[in-house]
Amino acid sequence: MDMEPTPQNSTDFLLLGLVTRPALPGLIFAVVFSIFLVAVMANMVMVLLIHVDSRLHTPMYFLLSQLSIMDTIYICVTVPKMLQDLLAKEKTISFLGCALQIFFYLTLIGGEFFLLGLMAYDRYVAVCNPLRYPLLMNRRICLIMVLGSWAGGSLDGFMLTPVTMSFPYCGSREINHFFCEIPAVLKLSCVDTSLYETLMYACCVLMLLIPVSIISVSYTRILITVHRMNSAEGRRKAFTTCSSHIMVVSIFYGAAFYTNVLPHSYHTPEKDKVVSAFYTILTPMLNPLIYSLRNKEVASALRKLLGRCAFSQRIRPGVVSRKH
């Protein structure tokens, strides 16, 4: 007599990884580890620069520092486990570990959705209402924006994580992914999850629709204002003010659109893993590099900090020799 599969929610899952059977795991480890180091260091340097340089104590850079903090935590949620699995024989993750990955992943990606949308509003105020900028973007409003972004992201995590992990998982425990992303986990469920996947799809579209609406309205108003400018210098300055944010938004929302909006018929496990790797590994590295390379104020602050470090290194031997 056939026995029905029994739920095994207390057992471990097995992550198959970005490449199921990599021919050169050491090379993949080196590449991913290098990207991870650059991403963490670049984001932490960005936060440090914004904290120590008084010229960067503005609402735009305060929001940018929060984006860097989110990116740092975001890449740390998935990549260390991925690196460990590339070198380990047992690529398991506990039920609780999988749930925590899903929660933090949803919270941080949701938080970035909202924060990038609110950063577009900041650019709108800077270009279209520069005289009212100190009033409309004061410290209290910036804190509300940041807390609202974290709250919006965590709401997504609190709603979807418990439901996802409450399904019975039996039979194969192999997740065809390098981390616990919900669609990959749901494929292991013993029961039909199509209704939940439809509701989750609607929730993700709504999560995208709110910040995308803010971005669309903000940049429409910015384009109208720039078009009316008579000064070529004013247009150039407005473009410089917005260009870095536009690039980051295009990269981040492009990947999010594929993952959350395109129908299932466009998805395959291989494509999903590549796109997930792009916005969980590459995007956190690209964001600070785009802002630092395309922003003169950040580049100037970095040169100033490096100059201080070099000067202190030259002074230190002289101080030691005088003591002796």
Side-chain angles (χ1 to χ4, degrees):
M1 185 175 70
D2 293 335
M3 295 184 66
E4 292 184 1
T6 55
Q8 304 176 36
N9 280 359
S10 61
T11 61
D12 294 344
F13 292 103
L14 181 68
L15 293 169
L16 297 184
L18 180 61
V19 181
T20 306
R21 290 181 178 86
L24 298 169
L27 178 61
I28 297 175
F29 177 91
V31 172
V32 174
F33 183 65
S34 299
I35 294 172
F36 175 73
L37 278 182
V38 171
V40 172
M41 290 177 62
N43 280 292
M44 288 296 93
V45 167
M46 185 69 74
V47 173
L48 177 64
L49 288 176
I50 293 169
H51 177 71
V52 301
D53 197 306
S54 59
R55 294 172 298 175
L56 303 183
H57 292 175
T58 64
M60 181 184 80
Y61 291 111
F62 174 72
L63 297 177
L64 180 56
S65 70
Q66 299 305 306
L67 180 65
S68 290
I69 291 171
M70 285 184 179
D71 277 336
T72 303
I73 303 172
Y74 184 39
I75 198 171
C76 289
V77 168
T78 57
V79 173
K81 176 60 180 169
M82 178 186 179
L83 292 170
Q84 178 189 339
D85 289 345
L86 283 168
L87 301 179
K89 291 183 179 179
E90 294 293 329
K91 302 177 181 182
T92 57
I93 184 169
S94 67
F95 183 84
L96 177 60
C98 192
L100 288 173
Q101 265 199 346
I102 291 173
F103 173 76
F104 285 115
Y105 164 76
L106 290 174
T107 297
L108 290 159
I109 198 170
E112 288 208 26
F113 283 157
F114 289 118
L115 187 61
L116 286 170
L118 293 170
M119 288 173 74
Y121 170 76
D122 169 74
R123 296 299 81 208
Y124 155 71
V125 177
V127 174
C128 302
N129 293 285
L131 297 179
R132 299 183 64 196
Y133 186 79
L135 177 65
L136 296 175
M137 290 298 299
N138 59 48
R139 184 170 181 80
R140 178 172 170 272
I141 291 174
C142 289
L143 287 173
I144 291 173
M145 285 181 170
V146 171
L147 293 175
S149 298
W150 280 103
S154 62
L155 180 64
D156 199 29
F158 279 119
M159 285 194 305
L160 298 182
T161 306
V163 180
T164 300
M165 304 312 290
S166 66
F167 286 110
Y169 294 99
C170 43
S172 173
R173 311 291 291 182
E174 295 181 345
I175 300 174
N176 190 9
H177 216 298
F178 63 90
F179 74 102
C180 289
E181 193 168 34
I182 290 180
V185 174
L186 290 177
K187 289 179 181 178
L188 308 183
S189 177
C190 307
V191 298
D192 181 20
T193 61
S194 56
L195 176 60
Y196 172 60
E197 289 182 59
T198 302
L199 293 174
M200 184 176 65
Y201 173 82
C203 177
C204 291
V205 170
L206 181 62
M207 285 278 290
L208 277 170
L209 190 60
I210 295 172
V212 166
S213 299
I214 296 172
I215 292 169
S216 300
V217 171
S218 297
Y219 278 107
T220 299
R221 298 294 299 273
I222 288 171
L223 287 173
I224 293 171
T225 302
V226 170
H227 179 70
R228 292 173 178 171
M229 287 181 179
N230 296 321
S231 167
E233 176 65 20
R235 290 182 179 181
R236 187 197 62 78
K237 188 174 181 181
F239 176 77
T240 303
T241 300
C242 302
S243 59
S244 297
H245 182 258
I246 292 172
M247 289 185 66
V248 170
V249 164
S250 300
I251 293 170
F252 193 77
Y253 281 88
F257 180 84
Y258 169 86
T259 303
N260 300 300
V261 177
L262 287 183
H264 290 296
S265 57
Y266 288 87
H267 291 254
T268 65
E270 290 71 26
K271 286 182 182 178
D272 289 349
K273 286 193 285 186
V274 169
V275 174
S276 295
F278 179 78
Y279 66 75
T280 58
I281 301 173
L282 286 177
T283 302
M285 179 188 72
L286 292 175
N287 288 351
L289 294 180
I290 289 170
Y291 273 104
S292 61
L293 294 174
R294 296 183 62 85
N295 192 300
K296 291 182 180 179
E297 291 175 321
V298 173
S300 175
L302 180 59
R303 286 194 297 270
K304 184 178 177 182
L305 181 64
L306 292 175
R308 284 181 182 175
C309 294
F311 181 73
S312 64
Q313 289 296 324
R314 289 197 300 269
I315 290 295
R316 194 169 297 165
V319 173
V320 172
S321 62
R322 283 198 298 271
K323 286 183 178 179
H324 289 282

